[in-house]
Amino acid sequence: MSGKLQLLSDTLAAARAEGRSALIAYLPAGFPTVDGGIEAIKAVIDGGADVVEVGLPHSDPVLDGPVIQTADDIALRGGVKIADVMRTVREAHAATGKPILVMTYWNPIDRYGVERFTAELAEAGGAGCILPDLPVQESALWREHAEKHDLATVFVVAPSSKDERLAQITAAGSGFVYAASLMGVTGTRASVSSQAQDLVERTRATGTDLPVCVGLGVSNATQAAEVSGFADGVIVGSAFVKAMLDAPDDAAGVEAVRALAGDLAKGVRRQA
């Protein structure tokens, strides 16, 4: 079975045709439970998210701040496994028809087996992977199997990335480019970094046709509108996780992320 790279590309193109950014939501698998995480993902899509990144919980999430680390810890203590991540992708895609990616560090894939991981992700209806710590120059094995299964390979670029490096990444990647708006870890912030627009422009200047989507720091509709003015996608993670952590129970958490997705969806439709 082929992965859903084309669905991801079509979804991002459809948002662009509407004159807006796509809303990309992040939630970890297994948080607060496997079933609860699946319901939360369905809720953010129901609220207006175009694409969802399913986080593969990791004990050393170097890109993630304290909010996502807390959620990862809850998922890991609950015994979440890669099979649960695949089930989350499968059920979320089957229920919504939306593109579902996995965001993961490289070590779990390496230990699980690249061929096994890509084959199972494609079979589950996944659209691809975001790989924040896989250097592009070490990515040939992953890309070979991802291409075989029609899965996107999304690399992360940062304000510190040199132009030559950006060109290497856009040439090797597929699906979209994840532009980290600042140096540091994930988390909600009072304002979006001024470096974000410059990074998007430098990434596009490589000549790539890939959409450039911005994450790290977006947490409300005003910020989403601001980023929608210059990026192809707005990625929101910590704000969704925080809404669930702050909720009095799991059902309230699901409703909280549904409402937040609705607010953010309005934001990407009213560019600042």
Side-chain angles (χ1 to χ4, degrees), residues 116-270:
R116 180 185 178 195
F117 190 95
T118 52
E120 290 184 7
L121 182 57
E123 188 277 328
C129 265
I130 300 163
L131 300 159
D133 66 342
L134 178 63
V136 66
Q137 66 269 24
E138 297 176 18
S139 65
L141 178 64
W142 164 265
R143 287 187 286 122
E144 174 191 342
H145 290 291
E147 288 166 14
K148 181 168 76 172
H149 292 290
D150 288 323
L151 296 169
T153 298
V154 179
F155 290 112
V156 178
V157 299
S160 61
S161 300
K162 305 298 185 188
D163 291 348
E164 180 183 3
R165 176 83 170 165
L166 292 176
Q168 291 173 343
I169 288 172
T170 57
S174 56
F176 64 91
V177 180
Y178 186 126
S181 65
L182 42 76
M183 300 302 294
V185 296
T186 58
T188 60
R189 289 173 172 83
S191 62
V192 178
S193 168
S194 60
Q195 297 173 307
Q197 186 167 358
D198 176 67
L199 178 58
V200 170
E201 291 171 355
R202 289 198 299 119
T203 303
R204 287 180 176 151
T206 64
T208 184
D209 293 328
L210 291 176
V212 184
C213 304
V214 170
L216 270 67
V218 178
S219 61
N220 58 50
T222 300
Q223 292 170 342
E226 178 187 348
V227 174
S228 191
F230 60 82
D232 299 298
V234 179
I235 303 169
V236 181
S238 293
F240 283 117
V241 175
K242 187 174 187 301
M244 293 186 69
L245 287 170
D246 289 348
D249 55 53
D250 292 356
V254 168
E255 292 312 308
V257 296
R258 191 194 315 274
L260 177 58
D263 191 42
L264 292 162
K266 292 176 184 173
V268 298
R269 287 166 172 79
R270 67 157 204 273

